[in-house]
């Protein structure tokens, strides 16, 4: 019974957070787009590195240096675009989180203005200030970290599986089967 109550509270909290996010849908969409771009380029960089390493077997051939230079230029562009997309994603995440926090604080102050003086006298001033300032800051930190990790984590997993499938289906199946087993073993050891 307790577990169901906890799940209901979590669902209710998630719905409230999503409600606060609704006005910032454009920034949320841009965040997801930048996460996809960032992860795609991050996963493409090892492929370029592999091409450069493969190129080392051709040292001494006339086309070695120009082809290696082309790969190195691609790597520089990919690194720059990855950094740019992560920077834009960070700006969008900050805009979303701090706008939500501002909305929550405004709502909290409006609520405080309507409370009867009897309530304010009965509760510690530090406790009220802590709820409005510190608790909301803690929520903001969790939301900011959660956004970044959620989007990039899920997209990285899906992108990695996609790249693995494009390289070798058999090895991908082995990795997908072994991963849950290794997680269970790690959980048991921990």
């Amino acid at each position: 019974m307790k577990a169901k109550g906890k799940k209901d509270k979590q669902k209710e909290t998630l719905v409230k957070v999503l409600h606060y996010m609704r006005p910032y849908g454009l920034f949320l969409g841009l965040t997801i787009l930048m996460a996809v771009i960032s992860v795609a380029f991050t996963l493409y960089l090892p492929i370029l590195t592999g091409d450069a390493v493969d190129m080392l077997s051709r040292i001494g051939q006339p086309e070695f240096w120009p082809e290696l230079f082309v790969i190195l230029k691609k790597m520089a562009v990919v690194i720059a675009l990855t950094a740019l997309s992560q920077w834009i994603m960070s700006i969008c995440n900050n805009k979303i989180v701090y706008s939500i926090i501002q909305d929550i604080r405004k709502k909290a102050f409006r609520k405080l203005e309507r409370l009867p003086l009897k309530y304010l006298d009965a509760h510690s001033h530090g406790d009220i200030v802590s709820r409005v300032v510190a608790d909301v800051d803690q929520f903001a930190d969790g939301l900011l970290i959660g956004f970044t990790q959620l989007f990039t984590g899920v997209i990285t997993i899906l992108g990695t599986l996609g790249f693995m499938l494009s390289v070798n289906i058999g090895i991908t199946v082995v990795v997908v089967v072994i991963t849950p087993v290794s997680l269970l073993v790690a959980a048991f050891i921990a």
Side-chain angles (χ1 to χ4, degrees):
M1 187 79 161
K2 249 184 182 177
K4 184 166 174 54
K6 185 177 180 182
K7 286 218 183 260
D8 289 344
K9 284 280 188 190
Q10 288 174 342
K11 186 176 179 182
E12 182 180 321
T13 302
L14 182 62
V15 168
K16 284 182 184 178
V17 171
L18 291 175
H19 174 74
Y20 279 112
M21 290 173 78
R22 187 173 299 152
Y24 311 105
L26 176 66
F27 289 104
L28 185 62
L30 193 56
T31 295
I32 293 170
L33 176 65
M34 290 299 116
V36 168
I37 291 170
S38 171
V39 168
F41 284 138
T42 301
L43 294 174
Y44 183 54
L45 191 60
I47 292 171
L48 290 175
T49 304
D51 292 344
V53 170
D54 290 344
M55 183 74 59
L56 291 177
S57 67
R58 297 173 38 198
I59 289 179
Q61 295 179 2
E63 69 277 352
F64 170 74
W65 287 109
E67 287 181 20
L68 182 63
F69 187 66
V70 167
I71 292 173
L72 293 176
K73 281 196 311 189
K74 281 182 185 177
M75 289 174 73
V77 169
V78 165
I79 290 169
L81 290 175
T82 301
L84 179 66
S85 63
Q86 287 176 348
W87 179 67
I88 293 171
M89 183 175 66
S90 175
I91 288 173
C92 291
N93 283 345
N94 286 340
K95 172 65 177 165
I96 293 168
V97 169
Y98 293 119
S99 296
I100 288 172
I101 296 311
Q102 183 179 21
D103 294 346
I104 290 172
R105 284 198 173 131
K106 283 180 182 177
K107 189 174 180 180
F109 281 120
R110 283 195 299 270
K111 174 86 172 180
L112 282 172
E113 289 172 347
R114 290 192 310 261
L115 287 173
L117 290 176
K118 183 168 71 170
Y119 175 85
L120 297 174
D121 288 338
H123 291 82
S124 162
H125 300 303
D127 184 49
I128 295 171
V129 171
S130 174
R131 296 227 181 262
V132 173
V133 176
D135 290 357
V136 173
D137 280 343
Q138 190 174 14
F139 173 70
D141 292 342
L143 198 57
L144 194 57
I145 292 169
F147 266 148
T148 306
Q149 289 179 350
L150 173 70
F151 295 138
T152 56
V154 169
I155 294 169
T156 300
I157 290 169
L158 294 175
T160 302
L161 283 173
F163 274 122
M164 287 172 59
L165 284 169
S166 71
V167 172
N168 190 321
I169 294 174
I171 292 175
T172 305
V173 171
V174 170
V175 169
V176 169
V177 169
I178 290 177
T179 300
V181 173
S182 65
L183 292 174
L184 290 173
V185 171
F188 176 74
I189 292 171

